[in-house]
Amino acid sequence: MGFVLGFILGAALGLGLIVGFARYQHIRSKNRSDLAATIAAFARMTVQDSRKLLPPESYPSWVVFTQRQKLTWLNHHLDKLWPYINEAASELIRSSVEPTLEEYRPAIIASLKFSKLTLGTVAPQFTGIAVIDGDVGEIVMELELQWDGNPSIIIDIETRVGVKLPIQVKNIGFTGVFRLMFKPLVDEFPCFGAVCYSLRQKKNLDFTLKVVGGEITAIPGISDSIEEMIRDAIEDSITWPVRKIVPILPGDYSDLELKPVGILDVKLVEAKELTNKDFIGKSDPYAELFIRPLRNRTKTSKTINNQINPIWNEHFEFIVEDVSTQNLTIRIYDDEGIQASEFIGCARILLKDLQPGKVKDVWLKLVKDLEIQRDTKNRGQVHLELLYCPFGSESALLTRFNPDFRLTDLEKALKQDIDSDDTEKPALHRKRDVIVRGVLSVTVISAEDLPATDFMGKSDPFVVLEMKKSKQKNKTRVLNDTLNPVWNQTFDFVVEDGLHDLLMLEVYDHDTFGKDKMGRCVMTLTRVILEEEFTDVFPVDGTPSGKLNLHLKWTPQLIVKE
Ligand SMILES: *[C@@H]1O[C@H](CO)[C@@H](O)[C@H](O)[C@H]1NC(C)=O
Ligand SMILES: *[C@@H]1O[C@H](CO)[C@@H](O)[C@H](O)[C@H]1NC(C)=O
Ligand SMILES: *[C@@H]1O[C@H](CO)[C@@H](O)[C@H](O)[C@H]1NC(C)=O
Ligand SMILES: *[C@@H]1O[C@H](CO)[C@@H](O)[C@H](O)[C@H]1NC(C)=O
Ligand SMILES: *[C@@H]1O[C@H](CO)[C@@H](O)[C@H](O)[C@H]1NC(C)=O
């Protein structure tokens, strides 16, 4: 488990636990400095040795030269330290790990406490070591650690409905690569000011959950939630770019900490073809989105009842700390009321695939597990619109409205008002306070490849247009006996809040007894607001290959502050 592993790692290198021990006075100060000296010598020796062994240009970024002697040395020390670590662990976990786990606690669990913790008799083993060429003034090491342990960890859980359960976590199998950064390098003993450590790569993590004196399967949903919480806690609390900083010498090491670098704007538009989890009726889906699965940084959408093609049209913002490694994760669940929600599927997008300041519209395929991707079942897809804005930059959406020549005198006056109000806020935060108003003209040009609905292999299609937020509706005329209708009709909508409205087009087949829906197409107005005018082809969701040809035009009217 991440927290345990974190401690073990720190301990193994005499770092985390040196400090832990010092804090809890479990070790005399002499041992502590002996250990620190050894570690310092070891770290420096490794760099120099490796420089002698390999010319700098032949270093790959992750050098796995298994230096058997060094690993033996480390493992020997770890074996010796293990009983002490085991003894200290339960106290440390109670005082510092409980609050960590608490941050990842799912809503279904009302409280959790550790009641027993022994790390077992099997110490982890180091299976790989590498020295990375870091910046000047730091030493960077990567260590692979493997633990097939026999710990016994019991967590007392109380569920939201008042059920109390002692849950045992056992049979832990873990392999991962930890990164250690010794910095800043100083002249003073032990030659570095602080150590940062982080889980660079998780290669494997298995564990079993058991209800003490019962079967975990007797409480469906709970087991999944606990497993998810433990995995989230590990994946997030010590996984790179998140790092733990252990100050060795007194000093200010706040520059080593992870800091926010920008904001990710996410519009959760819709989902389609979600797996139906309910026997009666349809699923009641909602979404959970996060960059880091901390409880207070996870956003939850509304639940849409009885719908496998939900439209949410919700907007969320996330703090970004490291664009190169962080991802946005989305999980979709079926809301089961008082019971644990049922998982439908999840998806992930890498932030490094987003161009800063540029809106990206994506459909993500839902999978069961983000790591083991051999799931062939169709769980549905989710439609998002993403915009990453690094701090200090203005988004395209804002600069788009900046040129003053577009504005009338009244608007200029209004804008000045906005600007003078906002001088203290970073540019980025202005968007939220702005309402973008205008007229949207939609020309439904034609459709292609619509599915046949009558026995003659033809349909009588028409399109219903709807603005999701303002509920304005209109429709095209019905065209008889065609799968490739040409309407060429234009509709105007006055849009009050362009950044938060959606355009929905539904294609129907007219028949004597009513109408049958063939499919739909949902879009945000972001693109038309940015481009002012465009013609494009959109797939009709719900049909095998139906397409709509549309022309969209935006006539801006006014931008006012909310
Ligand atoms: C979330 O909780 C952590 C710890 O409880 C706290 O340090 C942090 O400021 C909180 N973040 C937000 C965005 O509220
Ligand atoms: C983001 O996703 C990539 C690719 O799936 C993965 O390798 C990486 O570990 C993820 N980053 C974090 C911080 O979880
Ligand atoms: C389409 O068919 C309906 C009945 O099937 C008929 O009433 C209508 O006049 C037809 N429209 C056109 C434009 O041919
Ligand atoms: C649609 O109508 C416009 C004029 O109203 C015309 O120029 C255009 O050619 C028409 N397009 C099609 C596909 O019929
Ligand atoms: C529907 O569209 C037509 C053609 O653009 C327009 O004349 C009519 O006023 C619209 N109806 C509504 C309710 O907006």
Side-chain angles (χ1 to χ4, degrees):
M1 302 178 52
F3 42 91
V4 178
L5 290 166
F7 278 113
I8 292 166
L9 178 85
L13 289 138
L15 297 164
L17 274 193
I18 290 169
V19 174
F21 277 17
R23 275 198 200 128
Y24 298 98
Q25 270 122 51
H26 277 198
I27 191 168
R28 290 179 305 276
S29 60
K30 183 178 171 298
N31 291 1
R32 191 171 89 225
S33 49
D34 282 355
L35 208 46
T38 318
I39 296 306
F42 181 74
R44 267 176 295 138
M45 183 179 78
T46 310
V47 173
Q48 282 146 15
D49 283 1
S50 62
R51 296 256 152 85
K52 271 180 233 148
L53 282 170
L54 290 169
E57 61 275 14
S58 67
Y59 277 71
S61 64
W62 160 226
V63 196
V64 197
F65 49 97
T66 309
Q67 294 169 305
R68 192 143 292 289
Q69 283 183 336
K70 266 171 202 156
L71 291 175
T72 309
W73 182 92
L74 268 179
N75 288 330
H76 171 71
H77 277 265
L78 186 52
D79 285 339
K80 275 207 318 202
L81 267 174
W82 193 243
Y84 298 101
I85 298 171
N86 192 10
E87 196 183 298
S90 86
E91 180 54 32
L92 278 171
I93 283 169
R94 219 168 257 118
S95 57
S96 58
V97 176
E98 248 174 35
T100 305
L101 210 49
E102 177 69 25
E103 286 174 32
Y104 300 89
R105 177 169 62 79
I108 187 100
I109 293 168
S111 77
L112 52 94
K113 293 258 171 299
F114 281 86
S115 62
K116 181 171 175 234
L117 190 128
T118 54
L119 294 178
T121 50
V122 185
Q125 296 294 297
F126 288 105
T127 47
I129 182 166
V131 177
I132 313 293
D133 258 347
D135 295 337
V136 185
E138 67 177 22
I139 296 172
V140 181
M141 265 167 70
E142 290 196 343
L143 278 165
E144 187 184 88
L145 181 135
Q146 188 179 335
W147 189 31
D148 293 305
N150 57 353
S152 173
I153 299 170
I154 296 177
I155 311 174
D156 285 337
I157 301 229
E158 186 173 346
T159 68
R160 200 166 52 183
V161 288
V163 181
K164 288 191 179 147
L165 298 164
I167 306 273
Q168 185 182 21
V169 187
K170 50 188 257 182
N171 302 333
I172 291 178
F174 171 87
T175 310
V177 178
F178 285 90
R179 166 170 285 199
L180 285 111
M181 287 184 296
F182 302 83
K183 72 193 262 186
L185 299 183
V186 294
D187 289 336
E188 198 182 337
F189 180 82
C191 303
F192 49 87
V195 183
C196 299
Y197 69 88
S198 179
L199 179 60
R200 180 73 186 156
Q201 188 198 356
K202 185 195 78 188
K203 291 191 171 168
N204 165 47
L205 172 67
D206 289 317
F207 54 86
T208 335
L209 292 179
K210 208 172 162 290
V211 174
V212 179
E215 264 306 311
I216 192 115
T217 48
I219 37 161
I222 299 283
S223 162
D224 289 347
S225 301
I226 296 171
E227 177 161 347
E228 198 173 271
M229 168 182 75
I230 292 174
R231 287 186 184 274
D232 280 352
I234 292 167
E235 241 128 83
D236 188 61
S237 68
I238 58 162
T239 301
W240 186 264
V242 179
R243 68 290 302 266
K244 297 273 183 253
I245 299 165
V246 184
I248 303 291
L249 299 171
D252 176 15
Y253 299 111
S254 54
D255 58 320
L256 301 180
E257 276 162 20
L258 196 58
K259 282 192 229 26
V261 295
I263 297 277
L264 177 70
D265 262 346
V266 178
K267 198 176 280 181
L268 173 63
V269 183
E270 58 176 330
K272 65 177 182 190
E273 297 155 25
L274 296 180
T275 315
N276 195 7
K277 291 280 178 184
D278 287 3
F279 293 112
I280 304 160
K282 305 215 175 85
S283 295
D284 306 316
Y286 71 92
E288 249 180 36
L289 301 101
F290 57 84
I291 289 183
R292 295 188 54 191
L294 289 162
R295 202 148 40 98
N296 64 2
R297 286 176 60 175
T298 300
K299 314 279 166 138
T300 307
S301 76
K302 297 189 290 261
T303 297
I304 309 276
N305 288 333
N306 207 29
Q307 183 56 265
I308 56 169
N309 299 300
I311 296 180
W312 283 288
N313 192 27
E314 285 187 70
H315 182 264
F316 305 100
E317 285 187 0
F318 298 90
I319 295 169
V320 175
E321 287 140 329
D322 185 57
V323 192
S324 62
T325 61
Q326 284 184 323
N327 309 315
L328 175 78
T329 305
I330 172 161
R331 291 180 182 152
I332 312 254
Y333 296 91
D334 175 20
D335 190 341
E336 296 279 341
I338 195 150
Q339 286 176 294
S341 299
E342 236 188 299
F343 178 72
I344 295 177
C346 58
R348 171 156 82 184
I349 182 153
L350 277 60
L351 300 191
K352 65 169 184 244
D353 294 345
L354 303 177
Q355 208 178 323
K358 237 180 139 196
V359 178
K360 183 160 177 158
D361 189 82
V362 286
W363 274 101
L364 302 175
K365 194 176 174 312
L366 297 173
V367 295
K368 180 165 188 241
D369 189 309
L370 291 167
E371 285 170 43
I372 313 157
Q373 285 173 353
R374 48 162 180 251
D375 186 27
T376 50
K377 192 171 145 199
N378 183 22
R379 295 171 176 269
Q381 294 183 44
V382 60
H383 184 187
L384 302 174
E385 189 182 271
L386 307 154
L387 171 65
Y388 170 60
C389 294
F391 286 134
S393 75
E394 287 213 28
S395 81
L397 218 51
L398 275 182
T399 42
R400 162 78 180 70
F401 299 112
N402 268 352
D404 279 355
F405 61 82
R406 286 176 183 285
L407 307 174
T408 64
D409 286 344
L410 170 69
E411 288 163 354
K412 272 182 197 157
L414 266 165
K415 185 174 180 295
Q416 244 161 31
D417 244 19
I418 298 173
D419 288 351
S420 59
D421 271 16
D422 266 2
T423 41
E424 258 136 65
K425 291 195 214 163
L428 184 78
H429 293 292
R430 251 183 252 157
K431 195 182 101 225
R432 241 175 305 162
D433 306 334
V434 160
I435 294 182
V436 178
R437 214 179 255 175
V439 176
L440 176 70
S441 307
V442 186
T443 306
V444 183
I445 303 168
S446 61
E448 288 164 41
D449 281 339
L450 294 179
T453 51
D454 68 17
F455 56 89
M456 302 291 288
K458 286 285 177 356
S459 296
D460 305 322
F462 67 100
V463 179
V464 175
L465 298 89
E466 182 181 349
M467 297 309 301
K468 226 20 211 170
K469 199 166 170 184
S470 57
K471 309 265 185 257
Q472 304 170 73
K473 272 193 177 186
N474 211 329
K475 58 175 191 252
T476 67
R477 60 182 183 274
V478 179
L479 293 177
N480 286 351
D481 296 333
T482 175
L483 301 182
N484 299 294
V486 179
W487 292 281
N488 211 8
Q489 275 180 280
T490 302
F491 304 89
D492 289 342
F493 299 98
V494 176
V495 177
E496 294 295 332
D497 185 0
L499 295 181
H500 297 103
D501 216 334
L502 285 183
L503 170 67
M504 177 163 83
L505 299 112
E506 289 179 306
V507 185
Y508 287 94
D509 171 52
H510 176 84
D511 80 40
T512 333
F513 310 105
K515 56 182 186 180
D516 296 316
K517 187 160 135 183
M518 297 188 199
R520 75 169 186 211
C521 169
V522 175
M523 69 189 80
T524 68
L525 307 189
T526 316
R527 180 171 169 200
V528 72
I529 291 172
L530 285 170
E531 295 179 19
E532 258 183 15
E533 197 165 353
F534 66 86
T535 305
D536 209 343
V537 183
F538 296 87
V540 180
D541 292 328
T543 67
S545 59
K547 293 189 239 2
L548 268 180
N549 295 315
L550 303 172
H551 174 84
L552 272 74
K553 184 166 186 282
W554 177 257
T555 313
Q557 287 194 325
L558 194 55
I559 306 147
V560 288
K561 203 182 169 197
E562 216 160 28

